[in-house]
Amino acid sequence: MIEDLNLLRVFYYVAKTGQISKAAELLNVSQPAISQQIKTLENQVQFKLFFRSKKGVKLTNDAQEIYSYCKAIFTSVESINHTLQNISSLDSGTLRIGASDTICKYYLIDKLKVFEQAFPKIRYRVTNCTTAESLNLLKNNDVDIAFVHFPVSHKQFTFQPCLTLEDFFVCSYDFDCSKIKSLSDLTRYRTLLLEKSSHSRKFLDANLLRYNIQLQPKFELASLDLLIEFAKKNMGIICVSRQYIKKELENKELKIIDLKEKLDTRSISLAYDKNTISKAAQRFMEML
């Protein structure tokens, strides 16, 4: 029985190269050490492994079968080491991300573009879903990282803040909002809000509740982009993060309503499980 697999490794490299000197160079050991290990292996298997000549060494008939097994084993080991090296250097691998459409469009896509340019061989799988769904995917190890609207309560994960969001009530640039001075004034006007199930809507409702205000929206929409388009068409007042309407503010399509009360800030945060995070995800986090 062969107890030291290193003996087989030495045997494999000697047989593969056909020369003890080349095997010694590849394994970074001395030629006498190689010769001694071959002799030890021959004593264990109790038959000769190589014929020696001036040109090098050649396998005996009995050693041919052993070599075929060793070739399969150590070729696989070499492939594993190559894969590990590629993963470590990000020459291969897949980065799996959970994030909402809004986060993808207004934050994530620019970050992915920079990362993809730095590591062009990485593949990506982005699952578009809500904050709650993204966290559930992360819990089930279906994604490596999740970008979510924070705050959320989840003790299993670590959260890394990425972008602070400032929420404001906004309207069409042509709308006369001069009489709206307070959050309570909004109850007399047409409002458009995201669906109640969305994280952003829940956060807004909790904010308003502190001022004993509950809005009854004329429209409830699932898409922030649609909400913005409705507001641009002067169909009502919406609540949105300033970071999501930079272009509309610059182009004077929308304007912020100046209210005496300020809504709490929130953030886009990266959620991850520090016990299972992949190498690609770690490097992406470092870039952020």
Side-chain angles (χ1 to χ4, degrees):
M1 181 182 292
I2 301 171
E3 297 181 354
D4 187 356
L5 291 179
N6 190 55
L7 295 177
L8 289 178
R9 184 167 178 264
V10 170
F11 163 76
Y12 167 70
Y13 277 95
V14 172
K16 179 182 179 182
T17 60
Q19 292 185 347
I20 289 178
S21 60
K22 286 186 178 180
E25 184 179 346
L26 289 172
L27 296 172
N28 197 28
V29 296
S30 66
Q31 292 186 42
I34 294 289
S35 297
Q36 181 59 48
Q37 287 177 305
I38 292 298
K39 184 177 181 180
T40 300
L41 183 58
E42 288 179 331
N43 290 336
Q44 290 185 9
V45 299
Q46 297 183 351
F47 58 80
K48 197 172 184 63
L49 296 172
F50 296 101
F51 295 117
R52 290 168 174 78
S53 68
K54 292 181 179 179
K55 293 183 179 180
V57 296
K58 184 179 179 181
L59 287 167
T60 65
N61 289 336
D62 290 333
Q64 288 284 355
E65 189 173 356
I66 295 178
Y67 176 69
S68 65
Y69 283 110
C70 287
K71 183 178 180 180
I73 292 170
F74 291 106
T75 300
S76 296
V77 170
E78 289 171 359
S79 296
I80 292 170
N81 286 334
H82 181 68
T83 300
L84 290 172
Q85 184 178 5
N86 285 343
I87 292 174
S88 180
S89 61
L90 297 193
D91 283 336
S92 67
T94 301
L95 179 56
R96 305 172 303 160
I97 301 173
S100 69
D101 290 341
T102 300
I103 292 177
C104 284
K105 178 179 179 180
Y106 294 99
Y107 175 76
L108 186 56
I109 190 170
D110 290 336
K111 308 302 179 185
L112 286 175
K113 182 178 180 180
V114 173
F115 191 71
E116 196 274 336
Q117 289 172 342
F119 303 101
K121 295 184 179 181
I122 291 293
R123 297 181 300 277
Y124 302 87
R125 192 177 78 199
V126 181
T127 303
N128 298 118
C129 50
T130 65
T131 286
E133 290 167 341
S134 293
L135 292 175
N136 193 50
L137 289 174
L138 186 60
K139 181 180 179 180
N140 295 330
N141 198 31
D142 291 323
V143 295
D144 302 306
I145 52 177
F147 286 87
V148 299
H149 283 114
F150 192 84
V152 292
S153 179
H154 211 300
K155 296 181 179 180
Q156 180 179 345
F157 306 128
T158 302
F159 293 90
Q160 175 181 311
C162 298
L163 177 67
T164 299
L165 299 176
E166 301 174 283
D167 288 333
F168 293 94
F169 282 95
V170 305
C171 61
S172 168
Y173 193 81
D174 297 327
F175 180 73
D176 182 8
C177 60
S178 59
K179 295 181 179 180
I180 306 176
K181 304 295 184 182
S182 175
L183 285 172
S184 60
D185 295 333
L186 292 170
T187 58
R188 300 193 300 272
Y189 291 83
R190 176 193 293 236
T191 55
L192 319 173
L193 300 178
L194 289 171
E195 292 178 328
K196 286 186 177 181
S197 60
S198 72
H199 182 273
S200 298
R201 173 66 183 279
K202 290 177 180 178
F203 185 78
L204 172 62
D205 287 345
N207 256 273
L208 295 176
L209 191 60
R210 293 192 294 110
Y211 298 102
N212 295 316
I213 296 171
Q214 185 175 5
L215 295 179
Q216 300 294 333
K218 183 71 173 181
F219 288 90
E220 290 183 308
L221 303 173
S223 166
L224 179 64
D225 285 343
L226 278 178
L227 205 66
I228 293 171
E229 289 302 315
F230 272 52
K232 286 162 58 177
K233 298 293 184 181
N234 202 10
M235 293 184 67
I237 296 168
I238 67 171
C239 183
V240 64
S241 297
R242 181 201 293 267
Q243 290 77 4
Y244 295 159
I245 53 170
K246 289 180 179 179
K247 182 181 69 174
E248 288 79 8
L249 292 174
E250 290 173 358
N251 294 341
K252 294 186 176 181
E253 296 174 288
L254 294 175
K255 61 184 176 184
I256 292 174
I257 301 174
D258 187 20
L259 301 174
K260 67 178 182 181
E261 303 95 343
K262 299 298 180 183
L263 298 174
D264 292 340
T265 59
R266 54 196 177 102
S267 71
I268 294 173
S269 291
L270 184 154
Y272 64 97
D273 187 336
K274 59 184 178 182
N275 297 315
T276 60
I277 190 167
S278 67
K279 189 71 177 179
Q282 286 180 334
R283 193 66 63 86
F284 186 60
M285 287 173 55
E286 290 170 5
M287 184 204 71
L288 294 177

